[in-house]
Amino acid sequence: MLSLPAWQCPEWTLNASQVNTSSPEFTEEWQKRIRELQGAIMVASCVQMLVGFSGLIGFLMRFIGPLTIAPTISLVALPLFDSAGSDAGIHWGISSLTIFLIVLFSQYLKNVAVPVPVFGGGKCHTSKFHLFQVFPVLLALCISWLFCFVLTVTNTLPSAPTAYGFLARTDTKGSVLSQAPWFRFPYPGQWGLPTVSLAGVFGIIAGVIASMVESVGDYYACARLVGAPPPPKHALNRGIGIEGLGCLLAGAWGTGNGTTSYSENVGALGITRFCTSSCMRALPFWPRLERHGKGDVGTSQLTLCSQSASGECPWNAIETRM
């Protein structure tokens, strides 16, 4: 929606290093775009809640399968390559370092246990912790930032705003922290009264439809990764409806985006396997109802299964019948 000519950013706002972000003119330029997004998101979220809470998504599950979900998720992710390339192109050396560290930590060092100090039982001792498996992305980002900080302090990175690699410096946006208030309480309508346009609403509805299909795939993928049974239709309806409610609240508060399940986060489960770490017992389940005959109340079976980092179950599954 914001790629339309009416919402193109003015030329004088394109160079972030030369813009006074606290000026009233600049504030109005981004707030009017947020208000347009607010109205479109709030209207489109009502459509999503209707689809979810009415049970329509459960009915449509007969038409939604792998051949529907896979192309949809691929099409949703394809436009991100342009933004990823532009951001990584700020300094390809730093970007390559970050990618290398993420791959190194998540694929080659994931089974390396790091001794960490633990306090328990009234004394301090060390315990083995799969640090690289749980925090591969966070560690890579921290190390890359520290590397950029060293290059900034030593003036290795260029100090001219127009030079290549200037935005890789860690002091280019230092004023953002110094000017930001210590405490701020967001509230609905904080950017002004939301505006609604037909083009904006239909554009966001198209995104909502793709988001619902993607969410269904995320639910099934998440259940498969944690060893839970496939989610039933009523769980899908609830999930889509709650996502629509989250979008409505996000639109009212003016976050500029909706809320949805994120395929990248589901993929992070496969990388970190944090939800099935051997140091905890997860409870990822949907109750499964077992009926024995007409008029029987039936039983609901819950399964607790803990897996090691390699995917094996060191303990037997515990079944609880109620």
Side-chain angles (χ1 to χ4, degrees):
M1 184 184 74
L2 294 181
S3 62
L4 296 175
W7 296 108
Q8 290 290 325
C9 293
E11 292 290 336
W12 60 273
T13 64
L14 297 181
N15 192 340
S17 62
Q18 299 178 358
V19 173
N20 181 11
T21 57
S22 60
S23 65
E25 295 81 7
F26 182 80
T27 300
E28 178 59 24
E29 282 295 332
W30 66 263
Q31 283 190 358
K32 67 181 181 182
R33 289 165 172 78
I34 290 291
R35 293 194 294 267
E36 182 73 10
L37 276 175
Q38 279 187 262
I41 290 173
M42 293 175 69
V43 175
S45 64
C46 294
V47 176
Q48 185 171 3
M49 285 192 295
L50 177 63
V51 172
F53 291 133
S54 66
L56 182 60
I57 193 68
F59 172 78
L60 294 176
M61 278 305 299
R62 66 185 66 184
F63 307 108
I64 300 177
L67 293 180
T68 308
I69 295 173
T72 303
I73 296 179
S74 300
L75 291 174
V76 168
L78 282 176
L80 300 177
F81 281 96
D82 184 36
S83 300
S86 300
D87 293 339
I90 292 174
H91 197 293
W92 282 109
I94 303 298
S95 303
S96 301
L97 172 64
T98 307
I99 295 172
F100 170 76
L101 290 175
I102 292 176
V103 174
L104 176 67
F105 294 155
S106 63
Q107 302 300 318
Y108 297 98
L109 299 180
K110 60 182 179 180
N111 294 325
V112 176
V114 179
V116 294
V118 177
F119 183 81
K123 61 180 181 179
C124 186
H125 61 279
T126 60
S127 177
K128 298 291 186 178
F129 180 65
H130 289 83
L131 181 67
F132 301 111
Q133 184 186 41
V134 177
F135 302 114
V137 178
L138 182 60
L139 284 174
L141 292 178
C142 291
I143 293 175
S144 296
W145 188 91
L146 288 174
F147 184 66
C148 290
F149 177 74
V150 173
L151 295 181
T152 301
V153 172
T154 57
N155 284 325
T156 303
L157 293 172
S159 57
T162 57
Y164 176 80
F166 169 76
L167 293 178
R169 297 178 62 94
T170 57
D171 58 356
T172 56
K173 298 180 180 179
S175 60
V176 174
L177 293 177
S178 61
Q179 296 176 3
W182 281 94
F183 300 99
R184 189 179 185 280
F185 299 95
Y187 54 90
Q190 58 186 324
W191 314 125
L193 186 66
T195 59
V196 178
S197 66
L198 195 62
V201 170
F202 277 101
I204 299 298
I205 287 179
V208 164
I209 293 174
S211 172
M212 288 189 291
V213 177
E214 180 186 16
S215 295
V216 171
D218 290 341
Y219 298 160
Y220 277 90
C222 187
R224 184 182 181 90
L225 282 173
V226 301
K233 291 182 179 180
H234 61 81
L236 297 176
N237 293 329
R238 266 199 319 269
I240 297 300
I242 292 299
E243 285 187 13
L245 179 61
C247 289
L248 180 64
L249 296 177
W253 259 260
T255 62
N257 60 279
T259 59
T260 182
S261 59
Y262 205 48
S263 300
E264 285 77 357
N265 286 344
V266 178
L269 296 178
I271 294 176
T272 64
R273 303 193 65 85
F274 182 71
C275 65
T276 56
S277 175
S278 58
C279 63
M280 63 177 289
R281 289 203 174 198
L283 223 167
F285 61 84
W286 279 275
R288 183 169 66 253
L289 190 63
E290 296 179 355
R291 296 189 179 276
H292 304 287
K294 185 177 181 180
D296 289 348
V297 176
T299 60
S300 179
Q301 177 176 309
L302 312 181
T303 302
L304 287 80
C305 181
S306 178
Q307 294 179 332
S308 64
S310 60
E312 299 176 353
C313 290
W315 303 299
N316 293 329
I318 302 174
E319 294 184 356
T320 303
R321 294 177 179 266
M322 295 183 294

